Amino acid sequence: MKTLTFRQIITVSMMLFAIFFGAGNMIFPPAMGQLAGTSYLAALAGFILTDAGIAILGVTAVVLVGNSMSDLGKLVSPKFALFLSICVYMLIGPLFALPRTGSVSFEIAALPYLGNSNRMLFSFLFTAIFFGLTYYLSSNPSKIVDVVGKYLTPVLLISIFAIFIATLLHPQSQEPLAFGTMTQAKGAYVDIPFFQGMIEGYNALDGPAGLAFAILVITAVRGYGVSDKKAIAKYTILCGLGAAAFLGVVYFMLTYVGAVTITPFENGGSLLHAVTNHLFGSVGGIILGIAVLFACLTTAIGLTTSFSDYFQTLLPRVSYKKIAAFVCLFSFVISNVGLSQLIKIALPILLIIYPVTVTLILLSFMRRFIKHRKSVYIVGMGITFIVAFLYGLDTAGLSLGSVSVWVRELPFYELGLGWVLPGAIGSILGALPFLNKTAASAAAVQE
């Protein structure tokens, strides 16, 4: 039986890490660290749980069930599998995550040196080059392990590591940047740093992405000659854990940089730019620009490849390259809407999608006991969706009157986990015989 060498496992792990680690992963940890202050470790733990933790659980769930996200969705029904896949791919693709890679790259790597005059023109030019390069590198998906894992990722890691080491060695300062000491936590991080960190982890979008990226890891493992199903599952999980370890280390470095920065900033991108200029002078912006550009580019390649691969299976008459060209062009247009608007729109939607995704992933690990009781998935995920939907509306400042007031009384609601208990009860109720028969009949009609 073919086995992978340690070097091959590390290469695939670094590929997965690099694809996961993109725009949001670069800017959210330092912003979180600054607000968390002395509680940054608790906030970091929550962030890693909902970011890397859910992502790797998703990869594991997919490989244990089959080969793709569709196989996971089919635990409920084929139509649900199609609906889930399209929603996730659109979310991590042209609607949010992919355009965000272009927006963040421009606003951090280019805008500080161009100024706000003719901003729109420069944004169009920069993102056109960015997504043109993304299309070129993703047009040959068989090379993604070599391009991302062997070349782009080391540059990214070295850049972030340089910023972190300089932060450790630099003395405390007050001018022009108050830097070098930690302050007390602020806002929600005072009382619930771990749970607030969990909510911040949603923003990185890696949870749903884990379901989509699983196929890339499986393909990479098979590319090394591994064909045994159990071996593929084993190495996919090992590479997933390796990627999670890389993510955890890098998140720690970025969160620490934010935690020791006292001067307040609007977002993590502005904070990183100010810190690197403070630490390295004029060369600081170049180091940050390289790190951000490669973080965003590697993620853009992975997202484009995954999106194009999936939709080619739905539209076999359309070539992979045409789909990749379309998604890059669409993302180019959306990326020029602006980073702040993308982030503002994304969070309420993520607060709805994450709980449903997590419920499905966790239930998939219990499919041996659930067997063919589809109602367990349907009822559990249905109730989870209702609570998560109301919480998402609440976060967006929208209320459904007495319904919203009642939902706010649920246990753990203020922690963003109000869906947990209702979802668990719904899953248990779904195992009842009469519900199971109804769900089975409905699933048979769909199939």
Side-chain angles (χ1 to χ4, degrees):
M1 183 178 68
K2 174 68 176 177
T3 59
L4 295 188
T5 65
F6 178 75
R7 182 175 180 178
Q8 289 170 331
I9 292 174
I10 292 298
T11 298
V12 179
S13 297
M14 290 182 72
M15 177 206 74
L16 184 58
F17 157 79
I19 294 171
F20 275 132
F21 191 84
N25 311 71
M26 193 77 181
I27 63 175
F28 290 122
M32 176 184 70
Q34 182 168 57
L35 292 174
T38 54
S39 300
Y40 80 100
L41 287 177
L44 175 64
F47 186 94
I48 292 175
L49 176 64
T50 52
D51 179 71
I54 295 176
I56 303 311
L57 277 178
V59 171
T60 303
V62 168
V63 75
L64 292 180
V65 171
N67 296 312
S68 67
M69 177 170 34
S70 294
D71 294 323
L72 188 65
K74 285 176 183 176
L75 292 175
V76 181
S77 75
K79 286 188 177 180
F80 175 79
L82 179 63
F83 174 76
L84 172 69
S85 298
I86 291 175
C87 285
V88 170
Y89 277 112
M90 292 301 293
L91 181 68
I92 67 172
L95 292 184
F96 292 114
L98 192 50
R100 191 172 66 182
T101 60
S103 297
V104 172
S105 295
F106 172 71
E107 295 198 15
I108 298 178
L111 186 60
Y113 306 99
L114 298 174
N116 284 315
S117 60
N118 297 318
R119 172 173 177 162
M120 185 57 68
L121 175 61
F122 286 127
S123 176
F124 267 80
L125 292 174
F126 181 92
T127 52
I129 295 172
F130 179 88
F131 285 109
L133 187 58
T134 297
Y135 170 73
Y136 174 77
L137 292 175
S138 60
S139 61
N140 190 350
S142 64
K143 297 294 184 181
I144 193 169
V145 173
D146 290 330
V147 172
V148 176
K150 292 183 179 179
Y151 302 110
L152 300 186
T153 305
V155 175
L156 167 64
L157 291 174
I158 291 170
S159 300
I160 296 174
F161 186 68
I163 296 170
F164 175 68
I165 293 300
T167 300
L168 292 177
L169 298 178
H170 196 277
Q172 297 181 13
S173 64
Q174 294 298 324
E175 296 293 340
L177 179 74
F179 181 81
T181 58
M182 293 186 192
T183 59
Q184 295 298 313
K186 304 175 185 65
Y189 291 99
V190 175
D191 299 316
I192 51 170
F194 176 81
F195 296 102
Q196 188 61 28
M198 287 178 58
I199 293 176
E200 288 298 326
Y202 291 158
N203 281 307
L205 277 170
D206 287 335
L211 302 178
F213 291 160
I215 187 62
L216 291 179
V217 188
I218 294 170
T219 301
V221 171
R222 285 176 174 166
Y224 284 118
V226 179
S227 57
D228 180 73
K229 186 175 180 180
K230 289 185 178 180
I232 291 173
K234 169 188 171 183
Y235 288 121
T236 299
I237 294 171
L238 280 177
C239 292
L241 292 174
F246 283 122
L247 285 168
V249 171
V250 175
Y251 287 154
F252 168 76
M253 291 190 285
L254 290 171
T255 304
Y256 180 83
V257 170
V260 297
T261 304
I262 301 172
T263 302
F265 291 92
E266 183 181 359
N267 56 60
S270 300
L271 185 152
L272 284 176
H273 182 76
V275 168
T276 49
N277 275 284
H278 179 71
L279 295 173
F280 299 103
S282 59
V283 77
I286 297 175
I287 293 176
L288 177 65
I290 291 173
V292 170
L293 183 59
F294 278 103
C296 294
L297 185 60
T298 51
T299 296
I301 294 169
L303 293 174
T304 301
T305 302
S306 298
F307 184 93
S308 303
D309 276 335
Y310 176 71
F311 277 91
Q312 190 184 25
T313 63
L314 296 183
L315 306 168
R317 294 184 179 180
V318 183
S319 70
Y320 170 92
K321 289 190 175 183
K322 286 184 179 179
I323 297 174
F326 168 78
V327 72
C328 287
L329 180 61
F330 188 89
S331 299
F332 156 69
V333 174
I334 298 298
S335 68
N336 286 282
V337 170
L339 176 60
S340 58
Q341 284 293 88
L342 288 174
I343 294 175
K344 182 179 179 181
I345 295 171
L347 183 57
I349 296 175
L350 294 175
L351 291 174
I352 297 170
I353 290 178
Y354 261 85
V356 178
T357 303
V358 171
T359 302
L360 175 60
I361 291 172
L362 294 179
L363 288 175
S364 74
F365 290 119
M366 295 184 283
R367 69 187 187 284
R368 180 181 301 178
F369 306 102
I370 296 173
K371 296 181 180 179
H372 299 295
R373 300 184 183 94
K374 294 182 181 292
S375 58
V376 175
Y377 301 102
I378 294 171
V379 179
M381 292 169 60
I383 294 178
T384 297
F385 172 78
I386 292 171
V387 177
F389 179 76
L390 292 171
Y391 183 71
L393 290 180
D394 213 356
T395 304
L398 302 174
S399 175
L400 294 181
S402 58
V403 175
S404 296
V405 173
W406 177 79
V407 170
R408 289 175 193 142
E409 299 299 319
L410 289 171
F412 315 119
Y413 181 86
E414 69 280 3
L415 304 177
L417 297 173
W419 56 272
V420 172
L421 187 59
I425 293 174
S427 299
I428 295 171
L429 291 175
L432 296 176
F434 73 93
L435 285 177
N436 186 53
K437 289 180 180 179
T438 303
S441 299
V445 171
Q446 289 187 35
E447 294 173 8

